[in-house]
Amino acid sequence: MRRQYCTYCNSEAITRVPERGVKLCRDHFVQFFETEIENVIERYQMLQGVRRLLIAVSGGKDSIALLHVLRKISERRGIDLVGATIDLGIEGYSEHCVEISRRHYERLGVPYLIVKLEDYGFTIDKAKKYEKSVRPVCSVCGLVKRYLLNKVALELNCDAIATGHNLVDVAQYMVANFLSGSLDALLKLRPVTRGEDLLVTRVRPFFFMHERYIELYVNILGLEYVSERCPYSMRGAEGRDMPFQEYLRTVLLELDLRYPGTLYRSVHSFVRNVLPVLERLSVRRGERVGRCAICGMPTQEEGRVCAFCKIRDILSKAN
Ligand code: AMP
Ligand code: FES
Ligand code: ZN
Ligand code: ZN
């Protein structure tokens, strides 16, 4: 195969970036990646007024890459960075995620907190066991992460929470919610969700970054990460048994391989053209929000007990 050269220097190119119409060598790729993230942070004013930032680290490639990029950026801007990793209690998986996250925090000198879900009386393994009578395990897991990260951010006085959601996650969520007509869910799909009441601002610096660039970045820097997927995210490797979300992701990745840049352009035009229209159409439901009688967090649940406390109550009593 013919050698390809970097668009900016005479070194050999290691990748093409069709979204930008360039080919890049290792050094220019790292520069491109970090600059791109800083530009998104600027464009969406993600760190405006932020003095202390909580970064949610799962141990996967996305949040490990984000930890490295944000440490550089927060150091330059005088922002305190604090890490949080939730030990979900998935046997044979969570221990590894926590260990890898811990090693990165310590090597980078980032203060951190490991939150054990078990301390709340249940684990995700237990949620799996009772999923038929409660709700699907991934839905419990998502709820637990949102709730605990917000709680930790409030307790540590953080002005924002950064997560590693990437372009493919966003595209998958966008298409799935479009197909099911969930307009409320689509409205939540944005690079920044401004905080209100007791809900801390959420920022997603990798919103427009394809996972293949994130993977390349961690590999170039030689960063270790948890490469296996959560055991509950995929049942049956392929074909009929493959859960809908996993299959949708595969289809979107194939589409993007055949027509490079499709996901990037779609997510951009969603943010530019669709979100503003949805925002205008949306009906504010603020008046229904009350406080959870148990934990005091905002809730729209009937009976004034938040979804987390309800699930905690059921699962901590189950045996
Ligand atoms: P996921 O929901 O697993 O696709 O993860 C999306 C993002 O949520 C990750 O990039 C992290 O920023 C955050 N996250 C996921 N799992 C954890 C965890 N166990 N502890 C802390 N943050 C997490
Ligand atoms: Fe939450 Fe798999 S990481 S169910
Ligand atoms: Zn170069
Ligand atoms: Zn509650």
Side-chain angles (χ1 to χ4, degrees):
M1 215 174 74
R2 226 163 42 93
R3 273 164 78 98
Q4 306 256 9
Y5 291 94
C6 174
T7 307
Y8 300 112
C9 71
N10 287 328
S11 308
E12 190 172 351
I14 55 157
T15 189
R16 291 161 56 90
V17 182
E19 296 89 337
R20 290 279 180 271
V22 292
K23 292 179 217 129
L24 301 173
C25 67
R26 277 168 76 99
D27 290 353
H28 278 113
F29 171 76
V30 170
Q31 195 182 329
F32 150 80
F33 186 89
E34 294 177 353
T35 310
E36 197 79 359
I37 298 310
E38 191 140 19
N39 288 345
V40 168
I41 288 175
E42 276 308 307
R43 195 173 328 126
Y44 292 94
Q45 306 194 325
M46 291 184 175
L47 298 180
Q48 212 84 337
V50 173
R51 285 152 304 157
R52 179 173 288 178
L53 175 65
L54 187 83
I55 172 164
V57 179
S58 64
K61 65 178 185 333
D62 304 317
S63 50
I64 294 298
L66 187 62
L67 177 63
H68 280 73
V69 177
L70 282 183
R71 202 197 62 132
K72 285 189 190 174
I73 295 176
S74 54
E75 220 170 55
R76 277 205 298 275
R77 299 185 181 201
I79 295 172
D80 284 343
L81 189 64
V82 187
T85 298
I86 301 168
D87 180 344
L88 296 162
I90 302 172
E91 216 186 313
Y93 177 71
S94 294
E95 304 89 333
H96 190 204
C97 297
V98 169
E99 195 41 44
I100 297 271
S101 306
R102 192 195 299 274
R103 269 190 241 158
H104 282 284
Y105 291 136
E106 303 219 329
R107 189 143 49 88
L108 293 174
V110 172
Y112 65 95
L113 202 71
I114 308 288
V115 184
K116 268 180 99 76
L117 180 58
E118 207 176 5
D119 293 343
Y120 290 82
F122 66 104
T123 60
I124 292 301
D125 277 344
K126 199 166 182 190
K128 174 66 190 167
K129 193 170 159 200
Y130 292 97
E131 76 176 335
K132 290 217 166 65
S133 52
V134 184
R135 46 161 134 170
V137 63
C138 289
S139 151
V140 174
C141 183
L143 174 88
V144 158
K145 288 177 195 165
R146 279 192 301 279
Y147 181 92
L148 291 180
L149 289 171
N150 193 70
K151 183 169 187 287
V152 171
L154 285 175
E155 285 168 1
L156 297 181
N157 245 325
C158 294
D159 312 290
I161 303 168
T163 59
H165 293 95
N166 66 47
L167 178 78
V168 185
D169 301 328
V170 173
Q172 180 188 337
Y173 198 79
M174 181 178 87
V175 175
N177 286 303
F178 178 74
L179 293 178
S180 63
S182 311
L183 294 188
D184 275 1
L186 281 175
L187 255 176
K188 291 187 191 143
L189 196 56
R190 48 179 71 238
V192 180
T193 310
R194 295 280 166 213
E196 52 181 321
D197 196 2
L198 291 175
L199 299 178
V200 179
T201 295
R202 300 261 168 169
V203 300
R204 303 175 185 98
F206 286 170
F207 202 87
F208 301 104
M209 187 55 81
H210 197 297
E211 63 180 21
R212 86 182 178 93
Y213 300 129
I214 300 173
E215 196 168 341
L216 193 54
Y217 181 76
V218 291
N219 287 336
I220 288 176
L221 296 193
L223 306 175
E224 58 173 353
Y225 62 92
V226 179
S227 52
E228 63 266 34
R229 303 286 303 273
C230 157
Y232 301 135
S233 68
M234 200 190 281
R235 245 149 296 141
E238 53 192 38
R240 255 178 334 117
D241 297 333
M242 201 174 190
F244 179 82
Q245 292 291 342
E246 293 288 342
Y247 182 64
L248 174 60
R249 193 177 186 94
T250 307
V251 170
L252 290 175
L253 284 169
E254 273 174 17
L255 181 75
D256 200 65
L257 260 187
R258 189 168 301 191
Y259 302 101
T262 300
L263 298 185
Y264 180 78
R265 287 190 296 274
S266 313
V267 169
H268 257 289
S269 72
F270 172 78
V271 171
R272 206 178 320 112
N273 306 325
V274 182
L275 261 185
V277 178
L278 288 178
E279 272 163 14
R280 257 179 273 136
L281 292 175
S282 87
V283 183
R284 298 271 311 166
R285 301 198 184 148
E287 60 274 16
R288 278 215 299 129
V289 174
R291 292 254 186 260
C292 171
I294 296 174
C295 72
M297 290 303 291
T299 181
Q300 296 187 356
E301 296 280 314
E302 301 291 329
R304 295 282 183 259
V305 173
C306 77
F308 179 84
C309 287
K310 277 184 188 161
I311 286 175
R312 180 184 182 183
D313 183 55
I314 299 169
L315 289 177
S316 57
K317 286 178 186 154
N319 47 42

